[in-house]
Amino acid sequence: PVGGDPATNKPVASTSVAVGKASAYIYVSNLNSTTVSVCPIMTDGSISNCGQSGNGFNAPSGLALTHDKRALYVTNQGSNEIDLCMIDKATGQLNNCTPTGNGFNAPSAVAISNNGQFAYVVNENSSNISICQHDRANKSLANCNTILTNLASPSDINFAPETNHVY
């Protein structure tokens, strides 16, 4: 968790950050943990009172919000899965986290295309990128296939705003 694991008092690696609906919350993946931290954003831009959310993640790494900011995708490098979590509008907490999509190999990042039709997943261990169909209504990922190979240990992916350029 942000600032360390309260159970062990040891620092935990954080690898990804996503800002939630209306910039009310920031989500931070905790790679050496089984949780994602949820931190309220104060009016001055600071964050405080971070808490843990979701459970059962396995080396959570990459985070991506749906375009409507009602759900968060969490990549799990340790279990080769991506979880889809619904966001509680009142508290920012992650609920009903379930695996979606398939065929991943240590997924480290996920990005939703600007048109919302596709999700792109970075598979760190196999050094490739997968594309999945993204269902905008139920948020699920399906029909995932490898589209780009022979990369050198890719770790992140992002879309440029209002373009189809991927970085």
Side-chain angles (χ1 to χ4, degrees):
V2 173
D5 184 339
T8 63
N9 205 24
K10 293 181 180 178
V12 175
S14 297
T15 59
S16 187
V17 174
V19 178
K21 188 172 181 92
S23 299
Y25 299 97
I26 190 167
Y27 297 90
V28 182
S29 63
N30 301 308
L31 183 63
N32 297 333
S33 179
T34 60
T35 64
V36 168
S37 293
V38 179
C39 308
I41 301 174
M42 304 293 109
T43 56
D44 66 357
S46 65
I47 59 173
S48 67
N49 302 319
C50 298
Q52 297 178 36
S53 190
N55 58 33
F57 300 126
N58 190 340
S61 177
L63 305 174
L65 286 162
T66 56
H67 291 312
D68 64 8
K69 311 287 192 251
R70 293 183 180 169
L72 181 75
Y73 297 99
V74 180
T75 64
N76 292 283
Q77 287 187 304
S79 61
N80 298 321
E81 293 179 332
I82 294 178
D83 282 328
L84 167 61
C85 303
M86 302 312 294
I87 297 174
D88 182 298
K89 291 187 257 184
T91 65
Q93 291 295 304
L94 304 178
N95 298 312
N96 304 316
C97 298
T98 57
T100 187
N102 58 39
F104 308 121
N105 189 354
S108 60
V110 58
I112 307 301
S113 63
N114 289 331
N115 65 11
Q117 293 180 326
F118 303 101
Y120 294 84
V121 179
V122 173
N123 296 293
E124 193 168 341
N125 282 355
S126 55
S127 295
N128 64 39
I129 306 287
S130 295
I131 186 172
C132 304
Q133 291 177 347
H134 176 246
D135 186 314
R136 287 183 258 181
N138 70 20
K139 318 286 189 246
S140 66
L141 305 181
N143 302 318
C144 302
N145 295 295
T146 301
I147 59 167
L148 185 60
T149 60
N150 299 320
L151 300 172
S153 297
S155 62
D156 203 0
I157 190 167
N158 283 291
F159 277 88
E162 300 178 17
T163 72
N164 287 324
H165 297 106
V166 180
Y167 298 94

